[in-house]
Amino acid sequence: MGIRLLFLVTDLEIGGTPRVVRDLATRLKGDDISPTVACLAPWGPVAGELLEAGIRVVEIGATSPFQLPRVVRDVVRVARSFDVIFSFLMHANTVAAISSVFARDVRYLQSIQTTQPDPSWHWTMQGLVERAAERIVVPSESVAIAAQRRSHIAPERITVIPNAIDTASFIAMNLSPFDQ
């Protein structure tokens, strides 16, 4: 069966991070890794793309921060059947960190995908919850620097893994500047 990997993301709307999660899940799917994607919010369009690719999707269905106790309970229930939880963005990282108190036999990784300074409380919260993860994964050196400066995350806890680019999709669009 391999590694049972849960990607936990805030939402699956059209956007950068949901697409990164989709690409990671579909590219890692195989004999060695069995990925599932869970989103805190109700399903968005990327959930359909994941399902079409044969990736299991779990909807936690949160619509308000006041649902945090239920959300944590639901994530803990889901987390207990996985080997690794890889969360993306502050909301999912926070829920994963709280869940790690109750689902201890799971390895936790967190990802920060942005350098945006605001809202600044996101960076403060990230600095509090990062301790629950083994590693903080970021897509670039600039995000690593932002995480160090704004969330006070120690550089040795951060791993830079650039987001993959599917070069075939650019070739298929035939966007060569020399074709004009």
Side-chain angles (χ1 to χ4, degrees), residues 22-33:
R22 179 207 58 202
D23 290 350
L24 279 170
T26 55
R27 291 178 182 175
L28 289 174
K29 181 182 174 191
D31 294 337
D32 295 337
I33 299 176

Side-chain angles (χ1 to χ4, degrees), residues 1-6 32-35 80-85:
M1 178 179 206
I3 297 169
R4 296 166 301 163
L5 173 60
L6 178 68
D32 295 337
I33 299 176
S34 177
R80 288 187 172 142
S81 61
F82 288 89
D83 303 307
V84 179
I85 309 295

Side-chain angles (χ1 to χ4, degrees), residues 6-180:
L6 178 68
F7 292 102
L8 181 64
V9 65
T10 302
D11 66 61
L12 289 170
E13 296 297 329
I14 301 294
T17 300
R19 297 276 187 194
V20 166
V21 170
R22 179 207 58 202
D23 290 350
L24 279 170
T26 55
R27 291 178 182 175
L28 289 174
K29 181 182 174 191
D31 294 337
D32 295 337
I33 299 176
S34 177
T36 295
V37 176
C39 64
L40 298 180
W43 279 12
V46 177
E49 296 171 9
L50 286 159
L51 291 169
E52 286 178 20
I55 305 293
R56 181 176 166 234
V57 180
V58 176
E59 175 189 42
I60 303 300
T63 57
S64 163
F66 298 109
Q67 296 173 323
L68 183 62
R70 180 198 57 85
V71 168
V72 170
R73 181 200 68 209
D74 291 353
V75 169
V76 168
R77 285 181 182 160
V78 171
R80 288 187 172 142
S81 61
F82 288 89
D83 303 307
V84 179
I85 309 295
F86 191 0
S87 59
F88 287 77
L89 302 178
M90 188 278 303
H91 295 93
N93 290 347
T94 300
V95 169
I98 296 168
S99 299
S100 73
V101 173
F102 304 102
R104 295 179 185 254
D105 292 335
V106 179
R107 298 178 70 183
Y108 288 87
L109 305 170
Q110 293 178 5
S111 182
I112 301 170
Q113 294 284 309
T114 184
T115 60
Q116 294 175 325
D118 294 317
S120 62
W121 72 268
H122 279 201
W123 290 103
T124 301
M125 182 61 80
Q126 183 61 56
L128 295 171
V129 302
E130 63 93 10
R131 293 170 187 88
E134 288 182 36
R135 303 290 297 169
I136 307 301
V137 179
V138 299
S140 67
E141 287 296 328
S142 63
V143 178
I145 291 166
Q148 291 168 41
R149 290 182 182 163
R150 296 184 182 130
S151 294
H152 309 289
I153 299 171
E156 59 272 10
R157 296 208 9 88
I158 298 172
T159 299
V160 177
I161 302 176
N163 291 336
I165 297 172
D166 181 6
T167 55
S169 64
F170 286 98
I171 293 167
M173 290 189 302
N174 197 19
L175 295 177
S176 172
F178 303 108
D179 291 341
Q180 299 175 4

